[in-house]
Amino acid sequence: MRAVVQRVKSASVTVDERCVGAVGQGLLVFLGIGEGDDEEACRYLAQKIANLRIFADETGKMTRSVQESGGDLLVVSQFTLYGDCRKGRRPNFTRAARPDEAERLYRAFIDVLRSDGLGVEEGEFGAMMDVSIVNDGPVTLLLDTEGAF
């Protein structure tokens, strides 16, 4: 499982000109689910993201998590995080999970975050989405569960 995590001042997702999810200050998470990922990977990555200390305290140091800072999360499915571009010029997506399995694990990931009391908005799985972002910092992190546990 892979995630691109961005600290944002605001972010929103639009599908067919209708807003399907939006947050103010918090995190935008682009989530890619790979072949072989499971619920354990969902729990690990969701808890890792929820507890990342990337929000500033009163001294300006990054010591607070999204929950401690009062922020929310916008989670957007992003199978292209598993695009392999090492050969040729067209990405190969064979390491991405099948859509039915990816959607199941996407939902499980969101459920873990919500069960921790976090406010979570989401994109529309499988849809063409327009994502608007006002980055904060910018702070952008790449996370991967491969070899993490």
Side-chain angles (χ1 to χ4, degrees):
M1 196 165 285
R2 294 178 177 163
V4 173
V5 178
Q6 295 184 313
R7 189 177 70 187
V8 297
K9 291 183 179 183
S10 65
S12 63
V13 176
T14 304
V15 176
D16 295 328
E17 298 184 28
R18 99 187 128 78
C19 182
V20 296
V23 296
Q25 182 250 338
L27 296 176
L28 172 62
V29 179
F30 291 108
L31 182 67
I33 298 160
E35 199 172 64
D37 283 336
D38 59 15
E39 288 81 4
E40 184 179 8
C42 286
R43 281 189 300 279
Y44 171 84
L45 190 58
Q47 290 170 351
K48 174 67 83 175
I49 291 169
N51 292 295
L52 284 173
R53 299 196 173 279
I54 58 174
F55 289 87
D57 62 16
E58 56 281 344
T59 68
K61 293 187 179 185
M62 292 194 298
T63 62
R64 293 188 175 148
S65 69
V66 65
Q67 192 165 32
E68 292 167 328
S69 71
D72 295 314
L73 294 96
L74 175 58
V75 181
V76 176
S77 176
Q78 185 85 39
F79 81 93
T80 59
L81 291 177
Y82 276 92
D84 184 349
C85 299
R86 292 177 291 181
K87 293 183 182 175
R89 292 180 284 181
R90 183 173 181 219
N92 176 325
F93 299 105
T94 57
R95 292 194 56 215
R98 291 183 337 273
D100 58 331
E101 181 66 1
E103 184 171 13
R104 184 181 74 77
L105 292 172
Y106 172 74
R107 301 266 167 241
F109 177 86
I110 290 169
D111 288 346
V112 170
L113 292 170
R114 286 183 174 149
S115 71
D116 283 345
L118 291 161
V120 181
E121 294 281 321
E122 56 189 275
E124 188 173 305
F125 188 90
M128 286 296 290
M129 296 175 271
D130 294 327
V131 181
S132 297
I133 305 164
V134 177
N135 282 7
D136 182 12
V139 173
T140 301
L141 301 167
L142 305 173
L143 290 90
D144 195 322
T145 60
E146 190 173 324
F149 50 93

